[in-house]
Amino acid sequence: MVAEQYLPPWFSVAPMMEWTNNHFRTLARLISKHAWLYTEMIAAETIIYQSGDLDRFLAFTPEQHPIVLQIGGSNLENLAKATQLARPYGYDEINFNCGCPSPKVAGRGCFGASLMLDADFVAKAMSVIAANSDVPVSVKCRIGVDNHDTYSELCDFIYKVSTESPTRHFVIHSRKAFLKGLSPADNRKIPPLKYEFYYALLRDFPDLRFTINGGINSVDEVNAARNEGAHGVMVGRAAYYIPWETLGHVDTAIYGAPRRYLTRRQVLEQYQKYGDSVLGKYGKNKPNVRDVVKPILGLFHAAPRNGLWKRNADAAFQRCVTLKSFFEETLEIIPDWVLDKPLEEYSSNCIVEAFANSKNLLPPPYAKEEKEYSEQDRMYD
């Protein structure tokens, strides 16, 4: 499989630790045929040290294409080995994590957002990953880290990585990261969004491809960002917490595909087959019913009796050992019309001005020529 076989990544689901696993991706693909899916971040060391059990971390069904593997690490040799081990699984792109602000990752100076402070290493890492893979590579990063948050510093990072490695795609989370003092959750909402940095990158690096990420929670916002020129848009928690309303409109409203008249009941029937086939696959009740049900807990968001269904689901976890028995015990709470009603046809119901307004705040153009000149000078020092 190669990425060219699929529609462009106009909409992608963000990599989210412990969330965008095989279970969620299976659900997401049942709802949307065209959204690009990312794995949760997998550390290079995990891939290497679990080489005897790689399917548990890297295997996915063919239906999940197009799918991107996100990898994390700070050791070039390990990144090379991990990429080699992942290669037979046939991912459509390999993404390198330079944006995670978690203290477990960036706070220790290991990898994640802290790598934005070392563009030389990231360029080497991307060259190593590309050399050991046969698919495109990309970087997911923030717009800055701590006090290194100017537009010029962001451009320096992009310039270095793109000119010294095969990287041509960057996913830009439009907030900076604080490596200390803020939790990962706070890092997703406290640093201000600066979409103007993203749109300035489109202006200053016309030969590269950029996906915008951060604070985007609806199809309306995705379309608004794209209408202002975004190459692609990445959505995170809205796709997980509200999968029916968010992912359900991606194919028609973003990709222009015909309406499928899909129902929640049809999705759950297919998901049940998947879930019961993987229960206990990795021994010691891993995964269990709770693990496999977790991604569907948002499927009835805002629907009648959703709260009661969730309460009953929590009790059913104590008794049910198959998804079939779990659904038999809990789904009778949800009205039939909710289960059998196709998603309503998409219609835009709000005006989004954030991206248009951001284009009025663009920073001055990046002095790329000056950068190239100074680097040439250093070569002859």
Side-chain angles (χ1 to χ4, degrees), residues 206-221:
D207 295 332
L208 302 179
R209 182 161 55 89
F210 295 96
T211 293
I212 189 171
N213 174 227
I216 301 171
N217 297 308
S218 70
V219 169
D220 282 339
E221 292 172 334

Side-chain angles (χ1 to χ4, degrees), residues 217-277:
N217 297 308
S218 70
V219 169
D220 282 339
E221 292 172 334
V222 172
N223 280 335
R226 292 195 62 237
N227 287 341
E228 294 300 328
H231 299 153
V233 184
M234 177 175 281
V235 175
R237 278 151 183 78
Y240 192 94
Y241 284 130
I242 319 173
W244 187 242
E245 291 81 358
T246 304
L247 295 172
H249 288 305
V250 166
D251 293 355
T252 56
I254 296 173
Y255 286 96
R259 188 179 176 193
R260 294 166 59 204
Y261 294 92
L262 189 68
T263 69
R264 289 181 175 98
R265 192 188 299 276
Q266 291 170 334
V267 168
L268 291 174
E269 286 173 351
Q270 292 300 310
Y271 191 77
Q272 178 189 310
K273 295 176 184 178
Y274 158 78
D276 281 334
S277 74

Side-chain angles (χ1 to χ4, degrees), residues 12-32:
S12 55
V13 178
M16 293 177 281
M17 290 291 290
E18 299 181 356
W19 288 17
T20 51
N21 53 26
N22 220 352
H23 312 320
F24 171 76
R25 296 195 310 267
T26 297
L27 174 69
R29 185 57 75 221
L30 287 171
I31 301 173
S32 169

Side-chain angles (χ1 to χ4, degrees), residues 55 85 105 122 139 162 170 241-242 246 251 308 331 340 371:
D55 282 0
L85 289 168
V105 176
V122 175
V139 168
S162 64
F170 292 82
Y241 284 130
I242 319 173
T246 304
D251 293 355
L308 179 59
L331 284 184
D340 295 322
K371 179 78 175 177

